[in-house]
Amino acid sequence: TGARPGSVTVRSTRCRPSPPRRPSSAPSAAGPSPPTAPAPGPAPTRSPTAPAADPPAPDDPDATAALERLAAACAGRPLLLRLLGAALEHRPAADLVRALTAPVSGDAPGEAEDPTGRVLSLCAEHLGDPARRLLRRLAVAGRAAVGPAAAVALLDTDRAAATRHVEELARAGFLQPVRGNRHRLHESVRRFARALLNEEETAEERAAARERLIRSYAELADTVIRLVDGNITTRTDALPGAAGRHGFTSLAAALRWLDEEADFITATLRHADPSVDRDAMLRLLGALCDWCLLRGDLHRLGELNAMVRALDEERFTRSVRWRTGVAERQLGELDKARTTLTSVVGLYREDRNRAGAARALRDLGITLQHQGRLPEAAERLGEALETQAAEGFAADRAWTLHALAAVERERGRVLTSGRLLEEALELHRTGGSVHGEAWTRFQLAQTLLRRGRTPDAERELEAAADLYERSRDPRGGAWVLTELGRARLVDGDGTGAVERLETALTRHRETEDVRGEAWTLHHLGLALEERGDPAEGVRLLERARGMFNRMPDIHGLASARHHSGRVTRDVRAEATGSLRNSGFSRQLLLDARRDFRRAGAPYGDAWSALELAVVDAGNERAGQALELTDEALAVFTEGYGEGVPDARGTDWARFLRCTLLPLASPGGPEVGAVVAQEELERLRREDHPLRDPALADAVEAFAVMLGRDRGPEEGWTAWRLGLVPRRAAADVIGVTD
């Protein structure tokens, strides 16, 4: 029989190991034979860590019998076999059998039948004092996997010594390997260690060990989130040297550690002594809350919220309440999120915490953007940027910059958005924020799509998808799929857009992202229209409209109304052959225009005005239609506050104006026709790369129409000839740097 650490091997050609028996002081007639007596003379003295003598030869019948009885004494349990196999390094099998079968006074009923306690107590005798102290203090960590960092905290020693003691416990069989240098206590060992802890250490020693462990967890969790979010002010210099002491081999390994240990860390935090360092607890709470938002684990975030309410400490309350506001936003509860974050801003300002107030203002601004209240969102984000202009706020400033860029894009200011995103991208790289860079590239892709640069946008989206994968953000990955589908739509590939958007829709539902689901339904409705199924497209647009209305998201509601009105108008007109009876569509477009104005999105307002002009012109209200085109033209030429006209929108407004002048000119049809011809010729000469290709064909076709001089009696013929803007015309904002 050969023995090695951590295992017991029994070989016998005579019999199988006996079944487990209850030990007794006097063996029965049918019981096992007494162990072989040791040779005369004093027993050799052996230190706890000294290796045992060479194992007996396989043909030694006494040794074989002792090993069989040893296996029987531990009832064949793998844990106990592993512990006793390691103990064979220190004592012969016969000694172990005697120790396990000897009667012990004071056993509770049933206790003597369970060999677990005896085996653990026996094997713990072979540990050195530091290893034994580590074993009992590991009970403080609960079910969490522990490594050298936790051992350093529990023993309050250096890393080299802590590593040796962890390895000693692992060799002795008390620790189960998890991954790398991390181990976990078996449940039976954990109960034994807790009993030792309560018996051999004072309450003060236990509390001190728990506090050091919480600090260690705070450093580890803080390091993980810093690897994702960068050195924002909640983490910059908060834990000097933590990254070096607790460096993970990769971001994936760091996130995997936090994924696996979050349950146990939360439990440790929940049972922390009131005297534990509050700064460490605050850091750990913040890191856990950020992890919950990253993973979409809003249930655990609710548990943490309940925990801090019970603690009734203002610093903890506002930290978790801030993250709760962000979670409410992710769930689409935008009014609740705005109320929560507004209160958090007030709390940070009362405490004169400029960094906290600025971060809360940023999230309040993002919430206002999601509600479609764009000017107010820009104002709040601008306030945050004023604070973050100071030294030491660069990483925080990066997050606010890319949030403000999204607001400016939705207001039509794509040049400003691009500049903000370039600055944010550089700051995120400097601050080491994988997650921040992912969201910045995602926003940059949307800005590039608005400028008609689809290939560049798709490259940015692929880069963002890789970064979301590295940071394990399923919510961000779902949004990338939505925008990739939208990119296919902008490129005119309706079928490809539908496939990607349907996949994105499933992903948004899995992550419970209501806003993502609503916008994906919106784009899917447009993709179905592009593919040739406008009726189904209208149905999905109406579903999106209902979701936007419930959030509420004014900008999303305006966009859904705009496209629902436009597509409904075209479907009915195709069925009847005219634009008459478009009252419902007209009302949707009027409501959309009102909502775009409430949202502070002049770009949408102008395009809704053009679609309304089409309805009015088709219903013989040429004068009203001409006024609408003039209003749209004024908005397009002003450039949405950037001072650069939207050439694409301007082209269509000027062209529709030309089609209406022969019918609504103050000087009469003849004068109107002459002015229209002059305008068309000027429009033809002022060609540019951003012009909608459909417009160039429309200009040529209508010029031929005017040349025939058929007069106003034919009415407005532009719609019948297809000389009106389609959905794709409004996809691109025609500005150049």
Side-chain angles (χ1 to χ4, degrees):
T1 305
R4 62 179 184 276
S7 66
V8 175
T9 305
V10 179
R11 295 177 185 170
S12 174
T13 58
R14 297 178 298 171
C15 63
R16 296 180 179 275
S18 304
R21 295 184 179 90
R22 178 173 179 170
S24 62
S25 57
S28 65
S33 302
T36 305
T45 304
R46 184 180 295 115
S47 68
T49 57
D54 292 338
D59 56 355
D60 184 346
D62 293 331
T64 301
L67 289 172
E68 289 176 350
R69 295 181 63 197
L70 197 62
C74 63
R77 298 179 186 178
L79 169 66
L80 305 186
L81 288 169
R82 185 168 61 248
L83 287 163
L84 290 173
L88 288 172
E89 287 191 353
H90 308 290
R91 297 172 69 175
D95 283 359
L96 294 174
V97 171
R98 279 195 298 273
L100 289 175
T101 56
V104 179
S105 61
D107 279 347
E111 188 175 305
E113 296 180 359
D114 185 1
T116 304
R118 285 192 170 194
V119 172
L120 289 168
S121 298
L122 179 62
C123 294
E125 294 175 3
H126 306 139
L127 298 173
D129 288 340
R132 183 182 176 90
R133 184 164 61 251
L134 176 59
L135 173 62
R136 60 179 180 254
R137 289 183 179 178
L138 284 174
V140 173
R143 296 179 177 85
V146 294
V152 168
L154 292 170
L155 291 176
D156 196 18
T157 186
D158 61 84
R159 190 179 182 90
T163 302
R164 288 197 305 272
H165 303 321
V166 170
E167 291 172 351
E168 182 180 345
L169 289 177
R171 284 196 306 270
F174 285 96
L175 294 180
Q176 296 177 318
V178 177
R179 183 184 291 107
N181 61 358
R182 305 192 67 77
H183 300 79
R184 181 176 281 123
L185 291 177
H186 186 280
E187 185 65 23
S188 298
V189 179
R190 189 170 63 84
R191 287 195 296 267
F192 172 74
R194 187 188 299 120
L196 282 182
L197 182 69
N198 294 329
E199 179 182 342
E200 299 180 5
E201 300 211 12
T202 65
E204 291 76 11
E205 289 173 324
R206 295 195 297 269
R210 188 181 298 276
E211 178 169 342
R212 290 193 300 270
L213 183 64
I214 286 178
R215 285 177 181 166
S216 176
Y217 281 152
E219 293 175 358
L220 281 162
D222 199 84
T223 299
V224 174
I225 300 301
R226 185 166 59 244
L227 288 172
V228 177
D229 283 349
N231 294 320
I232 57 178
T233 52
T234 47
R235 298 187 169 85
T236 303
D237 299 328
L239 299 165
R245 289 195 315 235
H246 304 303
F248 292 93
T249 57
S250 67
L251 176 58
L255 288 168
R256 183 171 59 242
W257 173 82
L258 194 50
D259 285 344
E260 292 173 350
E261 306 305 328
D263 286 339
F264 310 124
I265 294 174
T266 305
T268 302
L269 193 60
R270 184 181 295 113
H271 297 105
D273 190 88
S275 63
V276 168
D277 180 10
R278 311 316 266 174
D279 286 337
M281 284 189 68
L282 182 62
R283 291 170 191 148
L284 185 51
L285 268 173
L288 284 176
C289 288
D290 288 340
W291 176 85
C292 290
L293 291 175
L294 181 66
R295 285 287 173 273
D297 189 351
L298 305 184
H299 174 72
R300 188 190 305 277
L301 186 61
E303 289 183 351
L304 294 171
N305 196 10
M307 186 193 306
V308 298
R309 283 201 302 268
L311 292 171
D312 193 24
E313 189 162 335
E314 185 178 328
R315 289 192 304 165
F316 294 173
T317 301
R318 69 182 178 222
S319 178
V320 178
R321 187 183 297 177
W322 165 33
R323 273 83 171 194
T324 301
V326 177
E328 289 167 345
R329 184 180 72 219
Q330 291 183 2
L331 289 171
E333 299 173 355
L334 300 181
D335 281 337
K336 287 179 63 177
R338 186 180 78 246
T339 301
T340 300
L341 291 168
T342 300
S343 70
V344 171
V345 171
L347 289 173
Y348 276 117
R349 283 176 169 167
E350 288 174 10
D351 193 47
R352 300 192 178 185
N353 185 329
R354 296 172 63 225
R359 291 193 306 272
L361 273 171
R362 177 201 68 206
D363 283 307
L364 178 58
I366 295 172
T367 303
L368 291 167
Q369 178 217 346
H370 288 187
Q371 288 192 299
R373 301 164 66 173
L374 303 179
E376 194 175 347
E379 184 179 346
R380 296 293 174 270
L381 292 167
E383 290 179 38
L385 281 177
E386 287 179 11
T387 299
Q388 292 163 349
E391 186 177 355
F393 287 86
D396 287 25
R397 182 178 176 83
W399 286 90
T400 307
L401 282 169
H402 83 239
L404 181 58
V407 174
E408 294 298 277
R409 183 191 65 249
E410 291 187 2
R411 299 173 79 183
R413 302 174 180 180
V414 290
L415 297 180
T416 302
S417 177
R419 288 192 292 270
L420 292 171
L421 289 168
E422 288 176 4
E423 184 180 353
L425 191 59
E426 183 61 32
L427 289 174
H428 278 311
R429 286 170 175 165
T430 303
S433 176
V434 175
H435 206 214
E437 184 179 346
W439 281 108
T440 303
R441 290 190 178 278
F442 172 77
Q443 300 290 358
L444 180 58
Q446 292 186 78
T447 300
L448 291 169
L449 278 178
R450 273 301 191 189
R451 299 188 64 182
R453 296 166 56 180
T454 307
D456 293 339
E458 289 181 321
R459 281 194 292 272
E460 291 296 336
L461 287 170
E462 294 296 340
D466 179 64
L467 292 166
Y468 285 131
E469 182 67 24
R470 287 175 57 195
S471 59
R472 295 191 182 183
D473 182 359
R475 180 170 163 269
W479 274 102
V480 165
L481 284 174
T482 294
E483 290 304 312
L484 284 171
R486 186 175 160 216
R488 292 291 82 229
L489 180 61
V490 171
D491 215 34
D493 179 10
T495 300
V498 168
E499 291 174 356
R500 293 192 178 190
L501 289 166
E502 286 177 341
T503 303
L505 189 61
T506 301
R507 296 276 295 277
H508 282 301
R509 286 170 178 165
E510 290 172 353
T511 59
E512 299 182 61
D513 189 340
V514 177
R515 184 169 179 268
E517 182 180 347
W519 276 108
T520 304
L521 280 171
H522 175 276
H523 296 313
L524 184 55
L526 300 181
L528 289 168
E529 178 202 4
E530 181 74 21
R531 200 177 66 174
D533 191 357
E536 180 65 13
V538 169
R539 189 180 71 82
L540 294 186
L541 285 168
E542 287 300 300
R543 285 178 57 191
R545 180 161 72 100
M547 295 181 74
F548 287 130
N549 192 42
R550 287 190 296 272
M551 287 182 203
D553 177 354
I554 301 171
H555 186 255
L557 181 60
S559 187
R561 279 175 166 162
H562 170 90
H563 288 291
S564 184
R566 178 184 59 77
V567 180
T568 300
R569 177 201 67 196
D570 292 348
V571 169
R572 291 183 178 179
E574 286 289 340
T576 62
S578 76
L579 287 166
R580 296 185 182 277
N581 301 317
S582 299
F584 176 67
S585 301
R586 189 175 192 278
Q587 187 59 52
L588 283 173
L589 290 166
L590 281 171
D591 291 343
R593 194 176 184 202
R594 179 201 64 206
D595 289 337
F596 277 126
R597 287 178 172 176
R598 287 173 59 205
Y603 175 77
D605 175 19
W607 278 105
S608 290
L610 288 187
E611 299 295 354
L612 275 170
V614 172
V615 173
D616 284 350
N619 282 272
E620 300 180 0
R621 293 191 290 268
Q624 290 181 216
L626 186 60
E627 290 178 8
L628 287 166
T629 57
D630 287 340
E631 291 175 15
L633 183 60
V635 175
F636 286 133
T637 54
E638 286 175 2
Y640 321 124
E642 287 188 311
V644 181
D646 179 352
R648 196 177 179 103
T650 300
D651 285 350
W652 272 110
R654 290 172 63 187
F655 174 75
L656 288 179
R657 190 173 184 278
C658 291
T659 66
L660 292 165
L661 281 172
L663 302 175
S665 174
E670 293 80 7
V671 174
V674 171
V675 174
Q677 285 179 330
E678 292 175 354
E679 287 289 331
L680 278 175
E681 185 58 32
R682 190 178 300 114
L683 195 58
R684 182 188 295 168
R685 289 196 306 268
E686 295 173 359
D687 192 14
H688 55 84
L690 295 173
R691 173 164 289 175
D692 184 359
L695 179 78
D697 297 336
V699 169
E700 298 296 334
F702 193 70
V704 173
M705 283 278 305
L706 283 176
R708 291 176 181 174
D709 192 24
R710 294 191 176 183
E713 60 276 1
E714 290 192 6
W716 190 66
T717 57
W719 182 81
R720 293 198 302 271
L721 297 173
L723 309 181
V724 293
R726 299 299 179 188
R727 176 203 51 78
D731 281 345
V732 177
I733 297 177
V735 295
T736 55
D737 296 314

PDB file of all heavy atoms in Angstrom, residues 502-518:
ATOM      1  N   GLU A 502     -34.225  42.014 -34.985  1.00  0.00           N
ATOM      2  CA  GLU A 502     -34.973  40.970 -34.268  1.00  0.00           C
ATOM      3  C   GLU A 502     -34.097  40.314 -33.208  1.00  0.00           C
ATOM      4  O   GLU A 502     -34.569  40.006 -32.100  1.00  0.00           O
ATOM      5  CB  GLU A 502     -35.498  39.931 -35.260  1.00  0.00           C
ATOM      6  CG  GLU A 502     -36.677  40.440 -36.087  1.00  0.00           C
ATOM      7  CD  GLU A 502     -37.150  39.435 -37.119  1.00  0.00           C
ATOM      8  OE1 GLU A 502     -36.363  38.504 -37.457  1.00  0.00           O
ATOM      9  OE2 GLU A 502     -38.280  39.575 -37.597  1.00  0.00           O
ATOM     10  N   THR A 503     -32.818  40.085 -33.533  1.00  0.00           N
ATOM     11  CA  THR A 503     -31.890  39.534 -32.541  1.00  0.00           C
ATOM     12  C   THR A 503     -31.692  40.511 -31.386  1.00  0.00           C
ATOM     13  O   THR A 503     -31.690  40.127 -30.212  1.00  0.00           O
ATOM     14  CB  THR A 503     -30.538  39.223 -33.192  1.00  0.00           C
ATOM     15  OG1 THR A 503     -30.732  38.323 -34.293  1.00  0.00           O
ATOM     16  CG2 THR A 503     -29.591  38.583 -32.191  1.00  0.00           C
ATOM     17  N   ALA A 504     -31.537  41.789 -31.729  1.00  0.00           N
ATOM     18  CA  ALA A 504     -31.362  42.810 -30.701  1.00  0.00           C
ATOM     19  C   ALA A 504     -32.576  42.891 -29.792  1.00  0.00           C
ATOM     20  O   ALA A 504     -32.445  43.071 -28.574  1.00  0.00           O
ATOM     21  CB  ALA A 504     -31.098  44.169 -31.351  1.00  0.00           C
ATOM     22  N   LEU A 505     -33.770  42.741 -30.367  1.00  0.00           N
ATOM     23  CA  LEU A 505     -34.998  42.831 -29.572  1.00  0.00           C
ATOM     24  C   LEU A 505     -35.012  41.749 -28.489  1.00  0.00           C
ATOM     25  O   LEU A 505     -35.371  42.005 -27.333  1.00  0.00           O
ATOM     26  CB  LEU A 505     -36.207  42.700 -30.500  1.00  0.00           C
ATOM     27  CG  LEU A 505     -37.577  42.979 -29.892  1.00  0.00           C
ATOM     28  CD1 LEU A 505     -37.659  44.407 -29.387  1.00  0.00           C
ATOM     29  CD2 LEU A 505     -38.669  42.717 -30.928  1.00  0.00           C
ATOM     30  N   THR A 506     -34.609  40.544 -28.866  1.00  0.00           N
ATOM     31  CA  THR A 506     -34.546  39.452 -27.890  1.00  0.00           C
ATOM     32  C   THR A 506     -33.546  39.765 -26.788  1.00  0.00           C
ATOM     33  O   THR A 506     -33.812  39.528 -25.595  1.00  0.00           O
ATOM     34  CB  THR A 506     -34.147  38.143 -28.594  1.00  0.00           C
ATOM     35  OG1 THR A 506     -35.106  37.849 -29.615  1.00  0.00           O
ATOM     36  CG2 THR A 506     -34.088  36.991 -27.613  1.00  0.00           C
ATOM     37  N   ARG A 507     -32.408  40.306 -27.162  1.00  0.00           N
ATOM     38  CA  ARG A 507     -31.363  40.619 -26.177  1.00  0.00           C
ATOM     39  C   ARG A 507     -31.825  41.713 -25.215  1.00  0.00           C
ATOM     40  O   ARG A 507     -31.547  41.649 -24.013  1.00  0.00           O
ATOM     41  CB  ARG A 507     -30.084  41.048 -26.892  1.00  0.00           C
ATOM     42  CG  ARG A 507     -29.441  39.959 -27.747  1.00  0.00           C
ATOM     43  CD  ARG A 507     -28.550  39.056 -26.926  1.00  0.00           C
ATOM     44  NE  ARG A 507     -27.425  39.780 -26.392  1.00  0.00           N
ATOM     45  CZ  ARG A 507     -26.296  40.026 -27.062  1.00  0.00           C
ATOM     46  NH1 ARG A 507     -26.159  39.592 -28.303  1.00  0.00           N
ATOM     47  NH2 ARG A 507     -25.306  40.685 -26.492  1.00  0.00           N
ATOM     48  N   HIS A 508     -32.506  42.719 -25.721  1.00  0.00           N
ATOM     49  CA  HIS A 508     -32.996  43.792 -24.842  1.00  0.00           C
ATOM     50  C   HIS A 508     -34.018  43.246 -23.846  1.00  0.00           C
ATOM     51  O   HIS A 508     -34.044  43.655 -22.681  1.00  0.00           O
ATOM     52  CB  HIS A 508     -33.625  44.907 -25.665  1.00  0.00           C
ATOM     53  CG  HIS A 508     -32.638  45.815 -26.325  1.00  0.00           C
ATOM     54  ND1 HIS A 508     -31.695  46.535 -25.620  1.00  0.00           N
ATOM     55  CD2 HIS A 508     -32.432  46.128 -27.641  1.00  0.00           C
ATOM     56  CE1 HIS A 508     -30.960  47.248 -26.464  1.00  0.00           C
ATOM     57  NE2 HIS A 508     -31.386  47.018 -27.685  1.00  0.00           N
ATOM     58  N   ARG A 509     -34.850  42.329 -24.295  1.00  0.00           N
ATOM     59  CA  ARG A 509     -35.832  41.741 -23.373  1.00  0.00           C
ATOM     60  C   ARG A 509     -35.146  40.899 -22.313  1.00  0.00           C
ATOM     61  O   ARG A 509     -35.575  40.875 -21.158  1.00  0.00           O
ATOM     62  CB  ARG A 509     -36.834  40.905 -24.170  1.00  0.00           C
ATOM     63  CG  ARG A 509     -37.820  41.766 -24.957  1.00  0.00           C
ATOM     64  CD  ARG A 509     -38.644  40.963 -25.929  1.00  0.00           C
ATOM     65  NE  ARG A 509     -39.614  41.801 -26.622  1.00  0.00           N
ATOM     66  CZ  ARG A 509     -40.270  41.440 -27.728  1.00  0.00           C
ATOM     67  NH1 ARG A 509     -40.053  40.248 -28.256  1.00  0.00           N
ATOM     68  NH2 ARG A 509     -41.133  42.276 -28.280  1.00  0.00           N
ATOM     69  N   GLU A 510     -34.072  40.214 -22.683  1.00  0.00           N
ATOM     70  CA  GLU A 510     -33.334  39.416 -21.699  1.00  0.00           C
ATOM     71  C   GLU A 510     -32.707  40.290 -20.621  1.00  0.00           C
ATOM     72  O   GLU A 510     -32.631  39.894 -19.456  1.00  0.00           O
ATOM     73  CB  GLU A 510     -32.242  38.598 -22.403  1.00  0.00           C
ATOM     74  CG  GLU A 510     -32.781  37.462 -23.269  1.00  0.00           C
ATOM     75  CD  GLU A 510     -31.684  36.802 -24.087  1.00  0.00           C
ATOM     76  OE1 GLU A 510     -30.538  37.324 -24.078  1.00  0.00           O
ATOM     77  OE2 GLU A 510     -31.969  35.796 -24.752  1.00  0.00           O
ATOM     78  N   THR A 511     -32.259  41.484 -20.999  1.00  0.00           N
ATOM     79  CA  THR A 511     -31.631  42.387 -20.034  1.00  0.00           C
ATOM     80  C   THR A 511     -32.635  43.338 -19.393  1.00  0.00           C
ATOM     81  O   THR A 511     -32.243  44.211 -18.609  1.00  0.00           O
ATOM     82  CB  THR A 511     -30.520  43.215 -20.707  1.00  0.00           C
ATOM     83  OG1 THR A 511     -31.083  43.966 -21.795  1.00  0.00           O
ATOM     84  CG2 THR A 511     -29.418  42.326 -21.242  1.00  0.00           C
ATOM     85  N   GLU A 512     -33.909  43.184 -19.709  1.00  0.00           N
ATOM     86  CA  GLU A 512     -34.981  44.009 -19.139  1.00  0.00           C
ATOM     87  C   GLU A 512     -34.752  45.490 -19.402  1.00  0.00           C
ATOM     88  O   GLU A 512     -35.062  46.344 -18.564  1.00  0.00           O
ATOM     89  CB  GLU A 512     -35.120  43.753 -17.635  1.00  0.00           C
ATOM     90  CG  GLU A 512     -35.462  42.318 -17.281  1.00  0.00           C
ATOM     91  CD  GLU A 512     -35.632  42.125 -15.779  1.00  0.00           C
ATOM     92  OE1 GLU A 512     -36.525  42.754 -15.187  1.00  0.00           O
ATOM     93  OE2 GLU A 512     -34.852  41.354 -15.207  1.00  0.00           O
ATOM     94  N   ASP A 513     -34.223  45.797 -20.574  1.00  0.00           N
ATOM     95  CA  ASP A 513     -33.972  47.187 -20.964  1.00  0.00           C
ATOM     96  C   ASP A 513     -35.168  47.668 -21.785  1.00  0.00           C
ATOM     97  O   ASP A 513     -35.244  47.449 -22.995  1.00  0.00           O
ATOM     98  CB  ASP A 513     -32.679  47.280 -21.777  1.00  0.00           C
ATOM     99  CG  ASP A 513     -32.248  48.715 -22.036  1.00  0.00           C
ATOM    100  OD1 ASP A 513     -33.102  49.618 -21.927  1.00  0.00           O
ATOM    101  OD2 ASP A 513     -31.068  48.933 -22.344  1.00  0.00           O
ATOM    102  N   VAL A 514     -36.110  48.333 -21.117  1.00  0.00           N
ATOM    103  CA  VAL A 514     -37.355  48.732 -21.772  1.00  0.00           C
ATOM    104  C   VAL A 514     -37.088  49.769 -22.856  1.00  0.00           C
ATOM    105  O   VAL A 514     -37.675  49.718 -23.940  1.00  0.00           O
ATOM    106  CB  VAL A 514     -38.347  49.277 -20.727  1.00  0.00           C
ATOM    107  CG1 VAL A 514     -39.626  49.757 -21.388  1.00  0.00           C
ATOM    108  CG2 VAL A 514     -38.662  48.209 -19.693  1.00  0.00           C
ATOM    109  N   ARG A 515     -36.212  50.704 -22.566  1.00  0.00           N
ATOM    110  CA  ARG A 515     -35.921  51.737 -23.564  1.00  0.00           C
ATOM    111  C   ARG A 515     -35.246  51.132 -24.794  1.00  0.00           C
ATOM    112  O   ARG A 515     -35.564  51.499 -25.928  1.00  0.00           O
ATOM    113  CB  ARG A 515     -35.028  52.811 -22.941  1.00  0.00           C
ATOM    114  CG  ARG A 515     -34.758  53.988 -23.875  1.00  0.00           C
ATOM    115  CD  ARG A 515     -34.090  55.135 -23.127  1.00  0.00           C
ATOM    116  NE  ARG A 515     -33.820  56.241 -24.032  1.00  0.00           N
ATOM    117  CZ  ARG A 515     -32.677  56.413 -24.700  1.00  0.00           C
ATOM    118  NH1 ARG A 515     -31.690  55.534 -24.544  1.00  0.00           N
ATOM    119  NH2 ARG A 515     -32.501  57.431 -25.498  1.00  0.00           N
ATOM    120  N   GLY A 516     -34.330  50.190 -24.572  1.00  0.00           N
ATOM    121  CA  GLY A 516     -33.700  49.520 -25.708  1.00  0.00           C
ATOM    122  C   GLY A 516     -34.711  48.761 -26.539  1.00  0.00           C
ATOM    123  O   GLY A 516     -34.655  48.753 -27.778  1.00  0.00           O
ATOM    124  N   GLU A 517     -35.670  48.115 -25.869  1.00  0.00           N
ATOM    125  CA  GLU A 517     -36.714  47.389 -26.584  1.00  0.00           C
ATOM    126  C   GLU A 517     -37.568  48.341 -27.407  1.00  0.00           C
ATOM    127  O   GLU A 517     -37.909  48.052 -28.568  1.00  0.00           O
ATOM    128  CB  GLU A 517     -37.580  46.626 -25.582  1.00  0.00           C
ATOM    129  CG  GLU A 517     -38.679  45.795 -26.222  1.00  0.00           C
ATOM    130  CD  GLU A 517     -39.523  45.061 -25.200  1.00  0.00           C
ATOM    131  OE1 GLU A 517     -39.122  45.001 -24.023  1.00  0.00           O
ATOM    132  OE2 GLU A 517     -40.606  44.563 -25.579  1.00  0.00           O
ATOM    133  N   ALA A 518     -37.917  49.492 -26.831  1.00  0.00           N
ATOM    134  CA  ALA A 518     -38.771  50.445 -27.538  1.00  0.00           C
ATOM    135  C   ALA A 518     -38.089  50.987 -28.790  1.00  0.00           C
ATOM    136  O   ALA A 518     -38.695  51.030 -29.877  1.00  0.00           O
ATOM    137  CB  ALA A 518     -39.145  51.591 -26.604  1.00  0.00           C
TER     138      ALA A 518
END
